[in-house]
Every structure is written in C-alpha cells, then in structure tokens.
Amino acid sequence: MNGHSDVVGMQEAYHDFVDTLHECKNQEQEVLEFMKFRGSITQKEANIQLSVGRLASRIHNLIHRDGYVIDKKMITVENQFGKKVRVMEYSYDETKN
C-alpha cells in the first residue's frame, strides 16, 4: 500500500469506530470499543475522547460484572506542566477475551 491508501484506510477505520461509539448503550461499551480500536486507554484519553470521568469504575465493571480480561500497567507520561507523572493504562487483548 502507498501512503495515501494507508491514510484513507485509517480514516475509514476511524469513521467505523465513531459509528460504533454512537451505537453504544453505556460508558463501559464506549470504553471497550475505544480499547478495541486503539489498543489501550488512559484517564486523560477517556476524559477527552469519551467524556468518561471515572475510568477506573468503568474498567472495574467491565472486569467484574461483564467478565472481560483487561490488562493494567503504570506508565510514565508528561503532564501539562512538563512534569513526569505515572498514570494507569488499561489495555484490551482480543486473544484473552
């Protein structure tokens, strides 16, 4: 594939993802679809992309209520002030679910 085809393919995949989000019935489904599309999610991404304020609660429900296997790991990121901080990153692996 050439560069243009890659971009078009990514745009189509993103539009399919957005359509899927509009069909979600609750925040847990939105978080799950986001992780399926992007591979992982942090609280900042949940706030900005999905307007989900309590990501840890949504993840808890996905694991304990809905039975999904979701991996968690602490990562280091830079905050808006340039300071390095640690945040939780949640990831979804199709092979585990």
Side-chain angles (χ1 to χ4, degrees):
M1 264 192 197
N2 65 33
H4 179 71
S5 296
D6 291 344
V7 171
V8 171
M10 288 173 28
Q11 288 174 339
E12 289 174 0
Y14 179 75
H15 289 296
D16 290 344
F17 164 68
V18 170
D19 289 343
T20 302
L21 276 185
H22 291 302
E23 296 170 6
C24 290
K25 292 184 173 71
N26 58 45
Q27 289 185 335
E28 284 86 0
Q29 287 181 336
E30 290 179 356
V31 169
L32 185 61
E33 289 303 321
F34 187 91
M35 287 190 296
K36 286 179 179 180
F37 181 72
R38 293 276 307 270
S40 64
I41 192 169
T42 64
Q43 180 62 62
K44 183 177 180 180
E45 292 168 326
N47 282 336
I48 293 169
Q49 301 293 326
L50 305 175
S51 297
V52 171
R54 296 182 60 221
L55 179 61
S57 294
R58 306 293 70 83
I59 295 294
H60 177 86
N61 289 346
L62 286 167
I63 294 170
H64 298 287
R65 184 191 68 199
D66 302 334
Y68 287 99
V69 176
I70 296 174
D71 296 323
K72 302 177 258 186
K73 71 176 178 179
M74 293 296 288
I75 61 169
T76 302
V77 298
E78 196 172 287
N79 70 10
Q80 68 267 31
F81 305 110
K83 182 178 179 182
K84 290 187 178 187
V85 297
R86 292 173 50 82
V87 300
M88 188 66 73
E89 179 183 60
Y90 302 95
S91 58
Y92 176 85
D93 184 347
E94 290 275 346
T95 63
K96 295 180 181 180
N97 290 283

